[in-house]
Amino acid sequence: MSTEVHDCIVIGAGIQGSSTAYHLAQNKQKTLLLEQFVLPHSRGSSHGQTRIIRKAYEEDFYTKMMHESYELWAQLEREAGVQLFRRTGLLVMGPENEEGFSNIKATLQKNEVPTVLLERKEFSQHIPNVNLTDGNGALVDTTAGVLYADRSLRAIQGLYQNKGGVIKDGEKVIDIKPGAVVTVTTESGVYRGRSLVITAGPWANTLLTRAGLELPLKVVKINVCYWKEKIPGTYSVSHRFPCFVQYNPKEAEIYGLPSNEYPGLMKVSGRRCGIDVRAR
Ligand SMILES: Cc1cc2nc3c(=O)[nH]c(=O)nc-3n(C[C@H](O)[C@H](O)[C@H](O)COP(=O)(O)OP(=O)(O)OC[C@H]3O[C@@H](n4cnc5c(N)ncnc54)[C@H](O)[C@@H]3O)c2cc1C
């Protein structure tokens, strides 16, 4: 075992762990980031080309957090010198008189987020190719857009290393010994740190158990589908088609992103209970 003691060891180089390590290194903390797979990999939650970023949340505290989050993403873009965000807006649709939709509307208004409320009669003029279900309202969070996920991971990990941070990938953590100085054992080494951050995503409980903690976490598989546009380009970013979410209080929410990474194919998925949208 090396005698070196890190200020912090971070386990898991997904977006959470990589961002944490980057901010630690920025704050002059000697940091070690451990990842079980060889990077880049596609076996966690952070891979793929795109993710939605938005201020439209039911919960006020998320919308408040997002103000800072947008600033941090912009800072990162400047530092990395690559585009990580593309503004598209987010079309939110849902039953007008149910909680989900009306909470989002209230949160956006309360936090003065630039929002367009769409009346039924003008809906198709603004959003052609989408039908607004009877009884549903619609609004657009104009601040929302797409984050380029893989590119963001690469950028953050690169900047972290430029600041002196160390990544050891292909090193699965197999044991954690808590203490004033925590000892972390991987399949090929033993490391010591004054503090430890576990950002292991779906593997969190396996590691937390080793640290003597157990949380009621449940891993949910999410299916991502790509739907073919009937008329190529209709639902693309270049046609200014937005990201969208359809709230269904009794079922899962369906959300999607304009075609971008795979021309002619729109990304569609379901949230909340990890439904298989192909089955619907
Ligand atoms: C299909 C899909 C669509 C999504 N869409 C959106 C969206 O549009 N907008 C949005 O905001 N969010 C979205 N999310 C959520 C977002 O992507 C996740 O919240 C985020 O990627 C989680 O990152 P993470 O770092 O916590 O986990 P992960 O990316 O899973 O990273 C955990 C890392 O820990 C490593 N690890 C685990 N155990 C060990 C070990 N023993 N030793 C070493 N390393 C270990 C893993 O290998 C992995 O690399 C989506 C998620 C999915 C899956």
Side-chain angles (χ1 to χ4, degrees), residues 102-162:
S102 45
N103 286 349
I104 287 186
K105 195 167 150 185
T107 303
L108 287 168
Q109 283 169 342
K110 186 173 158 201
N111 290 285
E112 296 177 1
V113 177
T115 303
V116 178
L117 297 176
L118 292 174
E119 295 295 331
R120 174 165 290 278
K121 57 181 185 298
E122 59 181 10
F123 182 82
S124 57
Q125 177 195 330
H126 288 280
I127 319 275
N129 310 315
V130 174
N131 294 325
L132 186 62
T133 311
D134 282 345
N136 273 210
L139 59 83
V140 178
D141 164 5
T142 66
T143 67
V146 170
L147 282 175
Y148 295 114
D150 282 341
R151 203 187 289 175
S152 300
L153 262 187
R154 267 200 310 277
I156 292 173
Q157 289 166 0
L159 292 171
Y160 162 67
Q161 286 173 308
N162 291 347

Short mmCIF file of all heavy atoms in Angstrom, two decimals, residues 102-162:
data_model
loop_
_atom_site.label_atom_id
_atom_site.label_comp_id
_atom_site.label_asym_id
_atom_site.label_seq_id
_atom_site.Cartn_x
_atom_site.Cartn_y
_atom_site.Cartn_z
N SER A 102 -50.05 21.78 -13.15
CA SER A 102 -50.26 23.10 -12.52
C SER A 102 -49.13 23.45 -11.56
O SER A 102 -48.78 24.63 -11.41
CB SER A 102 -51.63 23.22 -11.87
OG SER A 102 -51.91 22.08 -11.15
N ASN A 103 -48.50 22.45 -10.94
CA ASN A 103 -47.34 22.75 -10.07
C ASN A 103 -46.18 23.30 -10.89
O ASN A 103 -45.50 24.24 -10.48
CB ASN A 103 -46.86 21.49 -9.34
CG ASN A 103 -47.80 21.09 -8.23
OD1 ASN A 103 -48.69 21.85 -7.87
ND2 ASN A 103 -47.62 19.90 -7.69
N ILE A 104 -45.94 22.69 -12.06
CA ILE A 104 -44.84 23.17 -12.91
C ILE A 104 -45.10 24.62 -13.33
O ILE A 104 -44.21 25.47 -13.26
CB ILE A 104 -44.70 22.27 -14.16
CG1 ILE A 104 -44.10 20.93 -13.73
CG2 ILE A 104 -43.83 22.93 -15.23
CD1 ILE A 104 -43.79 20.02 -14.86
N LYS A 105 -46.32 24.86 -13.74
CA LYS A 105 -46.69 26.21 -14.19
C LYS A 105 -46.45 27.23 -13.06
O LYS A 105 -45.83 28.27 -13.26
CB LYS A 105 -48.18 26.18 -14.58
CG LYS A 105 -48.63 27.35 -15.39
CD LYS A 105 -50.01 26.98 -15.94
CE LYS A 105 -50.89 28.18 -16.13
NZ LYS A 105 -52.23 27.80 -16.55
N ALA A 106 -46.88 26.85 -11.86
CA ALA A 106 -46.74 27.76 -10.71
C ALA A 106 -45.27 27.97 -10.38
O ALA A 106 -44.84 29.11 -10.11
CB ALA A 106 -47.48 27.17 -9.51
N THR A 107 -44.47 26.89 -10.41
CA THR A 107 -43.04 27.00 -10.07
C THR A 107 -42.31 27.90 -11.07
O THR A 107 -41.49 28.73 -10.69
CB THR A 107 -42.39 25.59 -10.04
OG1 THR A 107 -43.11 24.80 -9.12
CG2 THR A 107 -40.95 25.65 -9.64
N LEU A 108 -42.64 27.72 -12.35
CA LEU A 108 -41.98 28.54 -13.38
C LEU A 108 -42.33 30.02 -13.18
O LEU A 108 -41.46 30.90 -13.26
CB LEU A 108 -42.40 28.08 -14.78
CG LEU A 108 -41.80 26.75 -15.24
CD1 LEU A 108 -42.50 26.25 -16.50
CD2 LEU A 108 -40.31 26.88 -15.50
N GLN A 109 -43.62 30.27 -12.90
CA GLN A 109 -44.05 31.66 -12.73
C GLN A 109 -43.42 32.28 -11.48
O GLN A 109 -42.90 33.38 -11.53
CB GLN A 109 -45.57 31.74 -12.67
CG GLN A 109 -46.16 31.62 -14.08
CD GLN A 109 -47.66 31.43 -14.12
OE1 GLN A 109 -48.28 31.06 -13.12
NE2 GLN A 109 -48.26 31.66 -15.27
N LYS A 110 -43.43 31.52 -10.39
CA LYS A 110 -42.88 32.02 -9.12
C LYS A 110 -41.39 32.38 -9.26
O LYS A 110 -40.92 33.35 -8.69
CB LYS A 110 -43.06 30.94 -8.05
CG LYS A 110 -42.69 31.36 -6.67
CD LYS A 110 -43.08 30.28 -5.68
CE LYS A 110 -42.25 30.45 -4.42
NZ LYS A 110 -42.20 29.21 -3.66
N ASN A 111 -40.67 31.56 -10.03
CA ASN A 111 -39.22 31.78 -10.18
C ASN A 111 -38.87 32.62 -11.41
O ASN A 111 -37.69 32.72 -11.78
CB ASN A 111 -38.49 30.44 -10.22
CG ASN A 111 -38.50 29.76 -8.87
OD1 ASN A 111 -37.78 30.15 -7.96
ND2 ASN A 111 -39.37 28.78 -8.71
N GLU A 112 -39.89 33.21 -12.02
CA GLU A 112 -39.70 34.12 -13.16
C GLU A 112 -38.86 33.50 -14.28
O GLU A 112 -37.97 34.14 -14.85
CB GLU A 112 -39.09 35.44 -12.69
CG GLU A 112 -40.01 36.18 -11.75
CD GLU A 112 -39.42 37.46 -11.19
OE1 GLU A 112 -38.28 37.79 -11.55
OE2 GLU A 112 -40.10 38.12 -10.40
N VAL A 113 -39.14 32.23 -14.56
CA VAL A 113 -38.45 31.56 -15.66
C VAL A 113 -39.18 31.94 -16.96
O VAL A 113 -40.40 31.84 -17.02
CB VAL A 113 -38.49 30.02 -15.47
CG1 VAL A 113 -37.84 29.32 -16.66
CG2 VAL A 113 -37.80 29.63 -14.17
N PRO A 114 -38.43 32.41 -17.98
CA PRO A 114 -39.08 32.78 -19.24
C PRO A 114 -39.89 31.61 -19.82
O PRO A 114 -39.31 30.58 -20.19
CB PRO A 114 -37.91 33.16 -20.15
CG PRO A 114 -36.78 33.45 -19.24
CD PRO A 114 -36.99 32.61 -18.01
N THR A 115 -41.18 31.78 -19.82
CA THR A 115 -42.09 30.69 -20.19
C THR A 115 -43.15 31.20 -21.17
O THR A 115 -43.60 32.34 -21.05
CB THR A 115 -42.82 30.19 -18.91
OG1 THR A 115 -41.85 29.79 -17.96
CG2 THR A 115 -43.75 29.02 -19.19
N VAL A 116 -43.52 30.36 -22.13
CA VAL A 116 -44.62 30.71 -23.03
C VAL A 116 -45.79 29.79 -22.72
O VAL A 116 -45.67 28.57 -22.78
CB VAL A 116 -44.19 30.54 -24.52
CG1 VAL A 116 -45.36 30.87 -25.44
CG2 VAL A 116 -42.99 31.41 -24.84
N LEU A 117 -46.92 30.39 -22.34
CA LEU A 117 -48.14 29.59 -22.11
C LEU A 117 -48.87 29.49 -23.43
O LEU A 117 -49.14 30.51 -24.07
CB LEU A 117 -49.03 30.27 -21.07
CG LEU A 117 -48.42 30.43 -19.67
CD1 LEU A 117 -49.36 31.20 -18.75
CD2 LEU A 117 -48.08 29.08 -19.05
N LEU A 118 -49.15 28.27 -23.87
CA LEU A 118 -49.78 28.09 -25.18
C LEU A 118 -51.28 27.83 -25.03
O LEU A 118 -51.69 26.87 -24.36
CB LEU A 118 -49.14 26.91 -25.92
CG LEU A 118 -47.68 27.10 -26.35
CD1 LEU A 118 -47.13 25.81 -26.94
CD2 LEU A 118 -47.55 28.23 -27.36
N GLU A 119 -52.07 28.68 -25.62
CA GLU A 119 -53.52 28.47 -25.64
C GLU A 119 -53.82 27.37 -26.65
O GLU A 119 -53.12 27.24 -27.66
CB GLU A 119 -54.22 29.76 -26.08
CG GLU A 119 -54.08 30.93 -25.12
CD GLU A 119 -54.74 30.68 -23.77
OE1 GLU A 119 -55.74 29.92 -23.75
OE2 GLU A 119 -54.24 31.21 -22.76
N ARG A 120 -54.88 26.62 -26.38
CA ARG A 120 -55.24 25.51 -27.29
C ARG A 120 -55.36 25.98 -28.74
O ARG A 120 -54.87 25.35 -29.66
CB ARG A 120 -56.55 24.88 -26.81
CG ARG A 120 -57.13 23.82 -27.72
CD ARG A 120 -58.18 23.03 -27.00
NE ARG A 120 -57.58 22.19 -25.97
CZ ARG A 120 -57.02 21.01 -26.21
NH1 ARG A 120 -56.99 20.52 -27.43
NH2 ARG A 120 -56.49 20.30 -25.25
N LYS A 121 -56.01 27.15 -28.93
CA LYS A 121 -56.29 27.59 -30.30
C LYS A 121 -55.01 27.95 -31.09
O LYS A 121 -55.01 27.92 -32.31
CB LYS A 121 -57.31 28.72 -30.33
CG LYS A 121 -56.95 29.95 -29.54
CD LYS A 121 -58.08 30.99 -29.66
CE LYS A 121 -57.78 32.31 -29.01
NZ LYS A 121 -57.55 32.31 -27.59
N GLU A 122 -53.94 28.29 -30.38
CA GLU A 122 -52.72 28.68 -31.09
C GLU A 122 -51.66 27.57 -31.05
O GLU A 122 -50.57 27.72 -31.62
CB GLU A 122 -52.13 29.96 -30.48
CG GLU A 122 -51.82 29.79 -29.01
CD GLU A 122 -51.26 31.02 -28.32
OE1 GLU A 122 -51.28 32.10 -28.92
OE2 GLU A 122 -50.81 30.87 -27.17
N PHE A 123 -51.98 26.45 -30.40
CA PHE A 123 -50.99 25.39 -30.16
C PHE A 123 -50.38 24.87 -31.47
O PHE A 123 -49.16 24.84 -31.64
CB PHE A 123 -51.63 24.23 -29.38
CG PHE A 123 -50.66 23.12 -29.07
CD1 PHE A 123 -49.80 23.21 -27.99
CD2 PHE A 123 -50.59 21.99 -29.87
CE1 PHE A 123 -48.89 22.20 -27.71
CE2 PHE A 123 -49.68 20.98 -29.60
CZ PHE A 123 -48.84 21.08 -28.52
N SER A 124 -51.26 24.50 -32.42
CA SER A 124 -50.74 23.86 -33.64
C SER A 124 -49.95 24.83 -34.51
O SER A 124 -49.08 24.43 -35.28
CB SER A 124 -51.88 23.23 -34.45
OG SER A 124 -52.82 24.23 -34.73
N GLN A 125 -50.22 26.10 -34.32
CA GLN A 125 -49.45 27.10 -35.08
C GLN A 125 -47.99 27.16 -34.56
O GLN A 125 -47.04 27.27 -35.32
CB GLN A 125 -50.17 28.43 -34.85
CG GLN A 125 -49.57 29.66 -35.43
CD GLN A 125 -50.22 30.89 -34.76
OE1 GLN A 125 -51.39 30.87 -34.35
NE2 GLN A 125 -49.45 31.95 -34.66
N HIS A 126 -47.84 27.01 -33.22
CA HIS A 126 -46.48 27.03 -32.64
C HIS A 126 -45.81 25.67 -32.72
O HIS A 126 -44.60 25.58 -32.92
CB HIS A 126 -46.55 27.47 -31.17
CG HIS A 126 -46.86 28.93 -31.02
ND1 HIS A 126 -45.90 29.90 -31.17
CD2 HIS A 126 -48.02 29.56 -30.76
CE1 HIS A 126 -46.46 31.08 -31.00
NE2 HIS A 126 -47.75 30.91 -30.75
N ILE A 127 -46.60 24.60 -32.47
CA ILE A 127 -46.01 23.25 -32.43
C ILE A 127 -46.76 22.38 -33.44
O ILE A 127 -47.62 21.58 -33.05
CB ILE A 127 -46.11 22.63 -31.01
CG1 ILE A 127 -45.80 23.63 -29.90
CG2 ILE A 127 -45.26 21.37 -30.92
CD1 ILE A 127 -44.34 23.82 -29.56
N PRO A 128 -46.46 22.51 -34.71
CA PRO A 128 -47.12 21.63 -35.66
C PRO A 128 -46.66 20.18 -35.44
O PRO A 128 -45.62 19.96 -34.83
CB PRO A 128 -46.66 22.16 -37.03
CG PRO A 128 -45.51 23.05 -36.77
CD PRO A 128 -45.45 23.38 -35.33
N ASN A 129 -47.40 19.23 -35.90
CA ASN A 129 -47.04 17.80 -35.80
C ASN A 129 -47.21 17.20 -34.41
O ASN A 129 -46.76 16.09 -34.16
CB ASN A 129 -45.60 17.52 -36.26
CG ASN A 129 -45.32 18.13 -37.61
OD1 ASN A 129 -46.14 18.01 -38.52
ND2 ASN A 129 -44.21 18.83 -37.73
N VAL A 130 -47.82 17.93 -33.48
CA VAL A 130 -48.12 17.34 -32.17
C VAL A 130 -49.59 17.64 -31.87
O VAL A 130 -50.05 18.76 -32.10
CB VAL A 130 -47.24 17.95 -31.04
CG1 VAL A 130 -47.68 17.44 -29.67
CG2 VAL A 130 -45.78 17.64 -31.28
N ASN A 131 -50.31 16.62 -31.39
CA ASN A 131 -51.71 16.84 -31.01
C ASN A 131 -51.78 17.06 -29.51
O ASN A 131 -51.21 16.27 -28.75
CB ASN A 131 -52.57 15.63 -31.36
CG ASN A 131 -52.65 15.44 -32.87
OD1 ASN A 131 -52.68 16.42 -33.63
ND2 ASN A 131 -52.67 14.20 -33.31
N LEU A 132 -52.47 18.11 -29.12
CA LEU A 132 -52.66 18.36 -27.69
C LEU A 132 -53.94 17.64 -27.27
O LEU A 132 -55.03 17.92 -27.78
CB LEU A 132 -52.78 19.88 -27.44
CG LEU A 132 -52.85 20.32 -25.99
CD1 LEU A 132 -51.58 19.95 -25.23
CD2 LEU A 132 -53.07 21.83 -25.91
N THR A 133 -53.78 16.70 -26.32
CA THR A 133 -54.92 15.88 -25.87
C THR A 133 -55.98 16.77 -25.21
O THR A 133 -55.63 17.75 -24.53
CB THR A 133 -54.41 14.85 -24.84
OG1 THR A 133 -53.27 14.21 -25.40
CG2 THR A 133 -55.46 13.81 -24.50
N ASP A 134 -57.26 16.41 -25.39
CA ASP A 134 -58.36 17.16 -24.76
C ASP A 134 -58.13 17.24 -23.25
O ASP A 134 -57.75 16.26 -22.62
CB ASP A 134 -59.70 16.44 -25.01
CG ASP A 134 -60.19 16.72 -26.42
OD1 ASP A 134 -59.66 17.65 -27.06
OD2 ASP A 134 -61.08 15.98 -26.88
N GLY A 135 -58.34 18.41 -22.70
CA GLY A 135 -58.20 18.60 -21.25
C GLY A 135 -56.76 18.90 -20.83
O GLY A 135 -56.49 19.15 -19.66
N ASN A 136 -55.84 18.85 -21.80
CA ASN A 136 -54.43 19.12 -21.48
C ASN A 136 -54.09 20.59 -21.73
O ASN A 136 -54.62 21.21 -22.65
CB ASN A 136 -53.50 18.28 -22.36
CG ASN A 136 -53.22 16.92 -21.76
OD1 ASN A 136 -52.17 16.34 -21.97
ND2 ASN A 136 -54.17 16.38 -21.01
N GLY A 137 -53.20 21.11 -20.90
CA GLY A 137 -52.64 22.43 -21.12
C GLY A 137 -51.24 22.27 -21.69
O GLY A 137 -50.67 21.16 -21.68
N ALA A 138 -50.67 23.38 -22.17
CA ALA A 138 -49.31 23.31 -22.73
C ALA A 138 -48.56 24.59 -22.42
O ALA A 138 -49.13 25.69 -22.43
CB ALA A 138 -49.39 23.10 -24.24
N LEU A 139 -47.27 24.43 -22.14
CA LEU A 139 -46.40 25.59 -21.96
C LEU A 139 -45.00 25.22 -22.45
O LEU A 139 -44.68 24.03 -22.60
CB LEU A 139 -46.36 26.04 -20.49
CG LEU A 139 -45.90 25.05 -19.42
CD1 LEU A 139 -44.38 25.00 -19.31
CD2 LEU A 139 -46.48 25.45 -18.07
N VAL A 140 -44.18 26.24 -22.69
CA VAL A 140 -42.80 25.99 -23.09
C VAL A 140 -41.85 26.67 -22.11
O VAL A 140 -41.94 27.90 -21.91
CB VAL A 140 -42.53 26.49 -24.53
CG1 VAL A 140 -41.06 26.27 -24.91
CG2 VAL A 140 -43.44 25.78 -25.54
N ASP A 141 -41.00 25.87 -21.47
CA ASP A 141 -39.89 26.42 -20.67
C ASP A 141 -38.81 26.76 -21.69
O ASP A 141 -38.14 25.87 -22.24
CB ASP A 141 -39.41 25.34 -19.68
CG ASP A 141 -38.05 25.63 -19.08
OD1 ASP A 141 -37.48 26.71 -19.34
OD2 ASP A 141 -37.54 24.76 -18.34
N THR A 142 -38.66 28.05 -21.97
CA THR A 142 -37.78 28.44 -23.08
C THR A 142 -36.30 28.35 -22.72
O THR A 142 -35.44 28.48 -23.58
CB THR A 142 -38.08 29.88 -23.56
OG1 THR A 142 -37.74 30.78 -22.52
CG2 THR A 142 -39.54 30.06 -23.93
N THR A 143 -35.99 28.12 -21.43
CA THR A 143 -34.58 28.03 -21.04
C THR A 143 -34.03 26.62 -21.26
O THR A 143 -32.82 26.40 -21.20
CB THR A 143 -34.40 28.34 -19.53
OG1 THR A 143 -35.02 27.31 -18.76
CG2 THR A 143 -35.00 29.68 -19.17
N ALA A 144 -34.94 25.65 -21.47
CA ALA A 144 -34.52 24.24 -21.50
C ALA A 144 -33.77 23.91 -22.79
O ALA A 144 -33.79 24.66 -23.76
CB ALA A 144 -35.74 23.35 -21.37
N GLY A 145 -33.14 22.75 -22.78
CA GLY A 145 -32.43 22.33 -23.98
C GLY A 145 -31.76 20.98 -23.79
O GLY A 145 -32.12 20.20 -22.91
N VAL A 146 -30.78 20.76 -24.63
CA VAL A 146 -30.10 19.47 -24.67
C VAL A 146 -28.66 19.65 -24.19
O VAL A 146 -27.98 20.59 -24.60
CB VAL A 146 -30.10 18.96 -26.14
CG1 VAL A 146 -29.21 17.76 -26.29
CG2 VAL A 146 -31.52 18.64 -26.59
N LEU A 147 -28.25 18.75 -23.29
CA LEU A 147 -26.83 18.70 -22.91
C LEU A 147 -26.20 17.55 -23.67
O LEU A 147 -26.78 16.46 -23.75
CB LEU A 147 -26.69 18.42 -21.41
CG LEU A 147 -26.92 19.57 -20.45
CD1 LEU A 147 -26.86 19.07 -19.01
CD2 LEU A 147 -25.89 20.68 -20.64
N TYR A 148 -25.02 17.78 -24.21
CA TYR A 148 -24.33 16.71 -24.93
C TYR A 148 -23.58 15.86 -23.90
O TYR A 148 -22.53 16.26 -23.38
CB TYR A 148 -23.42 17.31 -26.00
CG TYR A 148 -24.23 18.02 -27.06
CD1 TYR A 148 -24.15 19.39 -27.24
CD2 TYR A 148 -25.11 17.29 -27.85
CE1 TYR A 148 -24.95 20.04 -28.19
CE2 TYR A 148 -25.90 17.93 -28.80
CZ TYR A 148 -25.81 19.30 -28.96
OH TYR A 148 -26.60 19.92 -29.89
N ALA A 149 -24.16 14.70 -23.58
CA ALA A 149 -23.73 13.93 -22.41
C ALA A 149 -22.30 13.38 -22.51
O ALA A 149 -21.45 13.67 -21.66
CB ALA A 149 -24.73 12.79 -22.17
N ASP A 150 -22.02 12.59 -23.55
CA ASP A 150 -20.68 12.00 -23.68
C ASP A 150 -19.61 13.10 -23.75
O ASP A 150 -18.56 13.01 -23.12
CB ASP A 150 -20.58 11.19 -24.98
CG ASP A 150 -21.25 9.82 -24.85
OD1 ASP A 150 -21.46 9.37 -23.72
OD2 ASP A 150 -21.55 9.22 -25.91
N ARG A 151 -19.95 14.13 -24.54
CA ARG A 151 -19.00 15.24 -24.72
C ARG A 151 -18.74 15.94 -23.37
O ARG A 151 -17.62 16.33 -23.06
CB ARG A 151 -19.61 16.22 -25.72
CG ARG A 151 -18.59 17.09 -26.41
CD ARG A 151 -19.23 18.15 -27.25
NE ARG A 151 -19.89 17.65 -28.46
CZ ARG A 151 -20.60 18.43 -29.27
NH1 ARG A 151 -20.75 19.72 -29.01
NH2 ARG A 151 -21.16 17.94 -30.35
N SER A 152 -19.80 16.06 -22.56
CA SER A 152 -19.66 16.72 -21.26
C SER A 152 -18.76 15.90 -20.34
O SER A 152 -17.89 16.44 -19.64
CB SER A 152 -21.02 16.90 -20.59
OG SER A 152 -21.85 17.69 -21.40
N LEU A 153 -18.97 14.57 -20.35
CA LEU A 153 -18.14 13.71 -19.51
C LEU A 153 -16.67 13.84 -19.88
O LEU A 153 -15.81 13.99 -19.02
CB LEU A 153 -18.55 12.25 -19.71
CG LEU A 153 -19.49 11.60 -18.71
CD1 LEU A 153 -19.63 10.12 -19.01
CD2 LEU A 153 -19.01 11.78 -17.28
N ARG A 154 -16.43 13.78 -21.20
CA ARG A 154 -15.04 13.90 -21.68
C ARG A 154 -14.44 15.23 -21.25
O ARG A 154 -13.32 15.30 -20.77
CB ARG A 154 -15.00 13.80 -23.20
CG ARG A 154 -14.75 12.41 -23.75
CD ARG A 154 -14.24 12.45 -25.18
NE ARG A 154 -15.03 13.28 -26.07
CZ ARG A 154 -16.14 12.89 -26.69
NH1 ARG A 154 -16.61 11.67 -26.48
NH2 ARG A 154 -16.79 13.71 -27.49
N ALA A 155 -15.23 16.30 -21.39
CA ALA A 155 -14.73 17.64 -21.07
C ALA A 155 -14.41 17.74 -19.58
O ALA A 155 -13.33 18.22 -19.20
CB ALA A 155 -15.78 18.69 -21.46
N ILE A 156 -15.32 17.27 -18.74
CA ILE A 156 -15.12 17.39 -17.29
C ILE A 156 -13.93 16.57 -16.84
O ILE A 156 -13.08 17.03 -16.06
CB ILE A 156 -16.40 16.96 -16.52
CG1 ILE A 156 -17.52 17.96 -16.77
CG2 ILE A 156 -16.12 16.83 -15.03
CD1 ILE A 156 -18.86 17.55 -16.22
N GLN A 157 -13.83 15.34 -17.37
CA GLN A 157 -12.70 14.48 -16.96
C GLN A 157 -11.37 15.08 -17.43
O GLN A 157 -10.37 15.03 -16.71
CB GLN A 157 -12.89 13.07 -17.51
CG GLN A 157 -14.03 12.34 -16.79
CD GLN A 157 -14.51 11.07 -17.50
OE1 GLN A 157 -14.01 10.72 -18.56
NE2 GLN A 157 -15.49 10.40 -16.92
N GLY A 158 -11.38 15.66 -18.62
CA GLY A 158 -10.15 16.29 -19.15
C GLY A 158 -9.73 17.48 -18.30
O GLY A 158 -8.56 17.63 -17.93
N LEU A 159 -10.71 18.33 -17.95
CA LEU A 159 -10.39 19.52 -17.14
C LEU A 159 -9.92 19.12 -15.75
O LEU A 159 -9.00 19.73 -15.19
CB LEU A 159 -11.63 20.44 -17.03
CG LEU A 159 -12.05 21.13 -18.34
CD1 LEU A 159 -13.39 21.83 -18.15
CD2 LEU A 159 -10.99 22.11 -18.81
N TYR A 160 -10.53 18.08 -15.23
CA TYR A 160 -10.14 17.56 -13.91
C TYR A 160 -8.67 17.12 -13.94
O TYR A 160 -7.87 17.48 -13.06
CB TYR A 160 -11.06 16.39 -13.55
CG TYR A 160 -10.56 15.48 -12.46
CD1 TYR A 160 -10.45 15.92 -11.15
CD2 TYR A 160 -10.21 14.15 -12.74
CE1 TYR A 160 -10.00 15.07 -10.14
CE2 TYR A 160 -9.77 13.30 -11.75
CZ TYR A 160 -9.66 13.76 -10.45
OH TYR A 160 -9.21 12.93 -9.45
N GLN A 161 -8.31 16.40 -15.01
CA GLN A 161 -6.91 15.93 -15.11
C GLN A 161 -5.96 17.12 -15.30
O GLN A 161 -4.87 17.14 -14.74
CB GLN A 161 -6.77 14.93 -16.24
CG GLN A 161 -7.38 13.59 -15.86
CD GLN A 161 -7.42 12.60 -17.02
OE1 GLN A 161 -7.92 12.94 -18.09
NE2 GLN A 161 -6.92 11.41 -16.81
N ASN A 162 -6.41 18.14 -16.08
CA ASN A 162 -5.57 19.33 -16.27
C ASN A 162 -5.28 20.04 -14.95
O ASN A 162 -4.28 20.73 -14.80
CB ASN A 162 -6.25 20.35 -17.19
CG ASN A 162 -6.31 19.85 -18.62
OD1 ASN A 162 -5.64 18.88 -18.95
ND2 ASN A 162 -7.14 20.49 -19.44
#
